[in-house]
Amino acid sequence: MNETVLEKLKVLAESAKYDVSCASSGTSRSHKNGSIGSAAGWGICHSFAEDGRCISLLKIMLTNYCIYDCAYCINRRSNDIRRATLSVTELVNLTIEFYRRNYIEGLFLSSGVVRNPDYTMERLVKAIKDLRLIYHFNGYIHMKSIPGASQELVNEAGLYADRLSVNIEIPNEKSLQILAPEKDFQSVFTPMRYIQQGVLQSAEERKRFRSAPRFAPAGQSTQMIVGATADTDKDILHLSSALYQRPTMKRVYYSGFIPVNSYDNRLPALKQPPLVRENRLYQADWLLRFYQFKVDEIVNDTYPDLDIEIDPKLSWALRHPEKFPVDINKADYEMLLRVPGIGIKSAQIIIVSRRYSNLGSEQLKKIGVVMKKAQYFITCRELPVKTINEVSPEALRQILTKKANTKTDDRQLIIQFQE
């Protein structure tokens, strides 16, 4: 590996770090004789496997040259930054060498757009095709599909990539036109449709022929930038909900706006990324996908933005005291999921356990219920604690948000997922 390639690697890895739309869930590539690498539903980009093992991938751009001048992008055409381009051969060799050194277990590949979308997409497809067919690389590959690329190239990419993604970036087309006038929603949603068609067609073919090739078996994902425009959380979550209605959309990622181009007066003057808001959106997204919430229950015209101080589930519960308290020993599964402090696994265990005996507070603690929250929203065999209706939502909010007298590092974001 020569010094020139390593210098390119430094530049292109730095340019790729702002894209968070990557995950390896939904695919399984077991080890094959004569192949190298494997992926078994693992996370990527320093995520963690089910056994707690950290999984890494090479996250890199083929080039950070770009014909577009998007206001929010570090790689925009008008920026005076270090530029680099890897040849297809250099990228392939880099991936293989990193795998053989046990640095990575997969690849996340994106690129700036050079010449035109098809030219760039063709080079990306050539890289992952060579990895699969020439080097028999069997590890996880996530590839960014280039907006505006032809359906033929998208279809070919799906034969070699585990997951394809097309980033929406800005959740409102009018806002997109202001910050990226060379782009529009059609150029984004068209390749999304190509990917969906490819996945569904592949599934039908595999019903008839077991040997039929799989198309992007981990589906597709996308990313939205949070805080670059005046769009509310209601706007963002409604778009996310609509995307999740598509059978192949696996994840919507939210990226707090990083003010890398502070000189552009079209962008808000933020001192730091809105990380807490980003976290709340992920929590709301979780409620949509796994807790059977609807968007209008989380955010609406009265509450267009998520509460920064408390998680969305607790916020909903405080706004609906009439739904509580919930009898742990009688409530159905759907209602248990709406109790702050009760997660999916806890709700499932409660449903099974109460068949044998009435549950009390000690049993709930052993099950994993966060009683600090849940105790105000439930009743059980013996629970001598005042409920939300006796304490009042306003007073309960103060109790649950009261900060302990401990020192914390304000530079770090403490993520607490709601249960």
Side-chain angles (χ1 to χ4, degrees), residues 9-23:
L9 172 63
K10 292 177 183 178
V11 173
L12 296 172
E14 177 70 17
S15 294
K17 72 179 183 180
Y18 298 102
D19 195 325
V20 301
S21 61
C22 47

Side-chain angles (χ1 to χ4, degrees), residues 61-97:
M61 301 181 74
L62 189 65
T63 179
N64 64 347
Y65 285 95
C66 193
I67 62 174
Y68 298 131
D69 201 34
C70 306
Y72 48 80
C73 183
I74 187 64
N75 302 308
R76 62 187 293 184
R77 181 181 66 236
S78 59
N79 269 359
D80 183 18
I81 61 172
R82 293 179 65 191
R83 306 280 182 174
T85 301
L86 287 169
S87 68
V88 170
T89 301
E90 287 173 335
L91 175 65
V92 170
N93 289 339
L94 197 60
T95 304
I96 296 300
E97 288 301 318

Side-chain angles (χ1 to χ4, degrees), residues 139-194:
Y140 180 83
I141 295 179
H142 180 159
M143 196 193 93
K144 289 287 298 297
S145 182
I146 303 298
S150 68
Q151 185 171 6
E152 291 75 18
L153 287 170
V154 174
N155 288 343
E156 189 175 11
L159 298 176
Y160 306 108
D162 292 282
R163 173 171 288 183
L164 294 173
S165 61
V166 189
N167 286 354
I168 294 174
E169 302 293 17
I170 304 300
N172 179 288
E173 186 163 23
K174 184 179 291 186
S175 300
L176 180 66
Q177 287 291 306
I178 294 172
L179 299 183
E182 298 156 303
K183 294 182 178 180
D184 56 42
F185 267 19
Q186 182 178 352
S187 66
V188 175
F189 288 114
T190 298
M192 280 187 177
R193 187 171 65 251
Y194 293 157

Side-chain angles (χ1 to χ4, degrees), residues 9 14 25 47 87 138 151-152 187 194 224 253 266 280 286 299 321 382-383 398:
L9 172 63
E14 177 70 17
S25 57
S47 293
S87 68
N138 202 45
Q151 185 171 6
E152 291 75 18
S187 66
Y194 293 157
M224 283 188 273
Y253 290 86
R266 292 173 293 175
R280 296 295 180 224
W286 202 261
V299 284
E382 67 336 285
L383 195 64
Q398 293 181 0

Side-chain angles (χ1 to χ4, degrees), residues 39 45-46 81 88 122 140 172-173 199 272 301 309 393 409 418:
C45 282
H46 301 94
I81 61 172
V88 170
E122 189 174 5
Y140 180 83
N172 179 288
E173 186 163 23
V199 172
Q272 58 187 13
D301 292 337
E309 196 174 29
D409 187 347
Q418 78 280 341

Side-chain angles (χ1 to χ4, degrees), residues 133-312:
L133 301 184
I134 297 177
Y135 291 89
H136 306 289
F137 182 72
N138 202 45
Y140 180 83
I141 295 179
H142 180 159
M143 196 193 93
K144 289 287 298 297
S145 182
I146 303 298
S150 68
Q151 185 171 6
E152 291 75 18
L153 287 170
V154 174
N155 288 343
E156 189 175 11
L159 298 176
Y160 306 108
D162 292 282
R163 173 171 288 183
L164 294 173
S165 61
V166 189
N167 286 354
I168 294 174
E169 302 293 17
I170 304 300
N172 179 288
E173 186 163 23
K174 184 179 291 186
S175 300
L176 180 66
Q177 287 291 306
I178 294 172
L179 299 183
E182 298 156 303
K183 294 182 178 180
D184 56 42
F185 267 19
Q186 182 178 352
S187 66
V188 175
F189 288 114
T190 298
M192 280 187 177
R193 187 171 65 251
Y194 293 157
I195 296 168
Q196 177 176 309
Q197 291 171 350
V199 172
L200 296 178
Q201 184 177 347
S202 172
E204 287 298 318
E205 290 176 352
R206 287 181 62 82
K207 290 179 182 178
R208 292 179 291 173
F209 309 102
R210 294 183 62 183
S211 60
R214 301 183 71 188
F215 184 97
Q220 62 176 311
S221 61
T222 190
Q223 170 182 279
M224 283 188 273
I225 298 174
V226 178
T229 62
D231 299 294
T232 64
D233 294 333
K234 175 174 171 284
D235 300 326
I236 294 171
L237 289 173
H238 268 293
L239 179 54
S240 296
S241 179
L243 290 171
Y244 282 133
Q245 300 305 311
R246 303 184 178 196
T248 60
M249 181 58 67
K250 300 301 182 181
R251 285 295 306 273
V252 176
Y253 290 86
Y254 308 96
S255 177
F257 170 64
I258 301 174
V260 292
N261 301 319
S262 55
Y263 61 86
D264 197 316
N265 57 19
R266 292 173 293 175
L267 298 169
L270 298 181
K271 293 183 179 180
Q272 58 187 13
L275 296 180
V276 178
R277 183 186 178 192
E278 174 190 307
N279 183 46
R280 296 295 180 224
L281 282 166
Y282 275 115
Q283 292 175 325
D285 184 279
W286 202 261
L287 295 180
L288 292 176
R289 291 190 295 137
F290 301 112
Y291 284 75
Q292 304 177 18
F293 275 76
K294 303 297 182 183
V295 174
D296 291 338
E297 294 179 297
I298 303 171
V299 284
N300 50 43
D301 292 337
T302 306
Y303 301 97
D305 290 304
L306 296 169
D307 195 319
I308 296 299
E309 196 174 29
I310 58 177
D311 68 73

